[in-house]
Amino acid sequence: MNMIMQSPDQPLTMSSLEIAGLVEKRHDNVKRKIETLAKRGVIDLPQSEEDQIETGHGRKHTVQVYYLEKRDCFVVVAQLSPEFTARIVDRWQELEAEREKRHALPNFSDPVAMARTWADQEEEKRRQAARIEDMSEDVGALKLLSEADGAMTPTNTAKIVKMRPKDFMAWLQRDRWIYRRAGARSFVGYQNRIQSGHLTHKPHPYKDREGFDKVREQVLITPKGLVAIGKKLYKEGLISEVPKPGDQGDLGV
């Protein structure tokens, strides 16, 4: 299996070698497509490692393999062979199910395993609390963070900052957060906003009018992005107040 499995809080990756097999393309063609998309800024240039593959004669040789996270994997496949999108969707579901199984509940009859699990959970809670505290202190937007449930669509974000979705979407475009590619219906995030952790993308599988499986990118605003947006909207006078820590008042428009 050509995949890097890291700790639960780190993303899964799929290798360019496995992608090539799933979409029935030569591995060198897949790598070239990855490098082209990275040069254009559509994806980040992924991690590269050496891997051993076996030839038809039983011999092994070393190849350079790229490891892509989920979003970039879907982007590459959409460019290479969109007709194989369903395979990639199914494979990612398998990988995520495998990781969930690996990190299932510990053996409750083993006190050592229980103690280790408890310690890991407590450490993760402390890390999460520190991250939230840093973000809330940075802009005094505790209420925004408490209402954010992970990465959100722009429409849901508009509700939190109490702006009309139409006005909020227009502001996101003016402030160069999102844009539409020529001929596309859905919005995507600017690469610098993605690299800074303010935006992310989620692949959204759907069927076109002919019944073919397709995937389009859905742009999402992260909690970090929500904080930055709240601060900017307040400075521009589009919301009347950014709540300070401990302030339970509502945001005004």
Side-chain angles (χ1 to χ4, degrees):
M1 182 185 302
N2 302 106
M3 175 195 68
I4 292 178
M5 180 75 74
Q6 297 174 322
S7 64
D9 58 344
Q10 292 180 307
L12 286 169
T13 58
M14 184 183 294
S15 79
S16 52
L17 203 56
E18 183 168 7
I19 294 170
L22 289 168
V23 301
E24 300 178 9
K25 296 286 187 182
R26 287 167 52 96
H27 183 226
D28 54 348
N29 291 338
V30 174
K31 288 174 61 179
R32 277 196 295 272
K33 178 59 69 175
I34 291 170
E35 291 162 358
T36 298
L37 291 172
K39 287 179 181 178
R40 289 166 47 194
V42 179
I43 64 173
D44 294 329
L45 186 63
Q47 176 184 349
S48 175
E49 292 187 6
E50 291 184 350
D51 202 352
Q52 293 284 328
I53 64 172
E54 190 170 325
T55 66
H57 302 289
R59 297 178 180 178
K60 292 184 177 181
H61 69 277
T62 302
V63 294
Q64 204 71 19
V65 176
Y66 287 121
Y67 286 88
L68 290 83
E69 294 183 18
K70 187 174 182 178
R71 179 257 176 191
D72 289 352
C73 180
F74 278 107
V75 172
V76 171
V77 172
Q79 293 281 327
L80 276 169
S81 301
E83 65 271 22
F84 290 114
T85 297
R87 289 188 185 180
I88 297 296
V89 172
D90 292 343
R91 181 58 182 144
W92 271 103
Q93 289 176 343
E94 290 176 4
L95 296 181
E96 290 167 340
E98 288 171 9
R99 179 170 69 172
E100 186 175 348
K101 185 178 179 180
R102 283 186 173 90
H103 298 290
L105 291 175
N107 181 3
F108 290 101
S109 63
D110 184 348
V112 176
M114 286 294 297
R116 185 181 299 113
T117 300
W118 178 85
D120 291 342
Q121 290 175 344
E122 289 300 308
E123 179 61 27
E124 179 59 24
K125 286 179 183 178
R126 284 194 290 269
R127 286 197 298 265
Q128 290 180 352
R131 287 195 293 266
I132 292 174
E133 183 178 358
D134 289 343
M135 292 169 67
S136 59
E137 286 180 355
D138 184 38
V139 294
L142 188 61
K143 186 172 187 296
L144 291 179
L145 286 172
S146 67
E147 293 186 7
D149 183 17
M152 300 177 299
T153 65
T155 300
N156 287 336
T157 306
K159 294 177 183 178
I160 289 182
V161 299
K162 292 188 169 60
M163 289 180 67
R164 292 191 309 172
K166 180 180 179 181
D167 295 337
F168 183 62
M169 294 296 288
W171 181 86
L172 288 174
Q173 293 176 76
R174 287 197 309 271
D175 209 53
R176 296 181 65 80
W177 285 74
I178 60 174
Y179 69 99
R180 276 196 180 105
R181 296 193 181 104
R185 295 175 56 190
S186 57
F187 286 98
V188 294
Y190 280 96
Q191 190 65 25
N192 65 315
R193 303 289 190 183
I194 296 169
Q195 291 175 339
S196 64
H198 292 109
L199 295 180
T200 186
H201 288 101
K202 178 178 75 173
H204 180 66
Y206 71 101
K207 290 185 180 295
D208 64 13
R209 294 179 180 178
E210 287 74 33
F212 291 104
D213 290 312
K214 301 283 187 179
V215 173
R216 64 168 172 257
E217 295 175 324
Q218 182 179 28
V219 65
L220 300 174
I221 297 170
T222 66
K224 181 179 178 181
L226 174 60
V227 171
I229 287 171
K231 183 177 181 180
K232 190 78 181 292
L233 291 173
Y234 174 68
K235 284 185 175 180
E236 294 181 6
L238 296 175
I239 57 176
S240 62
E241 182 181 5
V242 177
K244 303 297 187 294
D247 182 2
Q248 301 301 316
D250 292 332
L251 281 175
V253 180

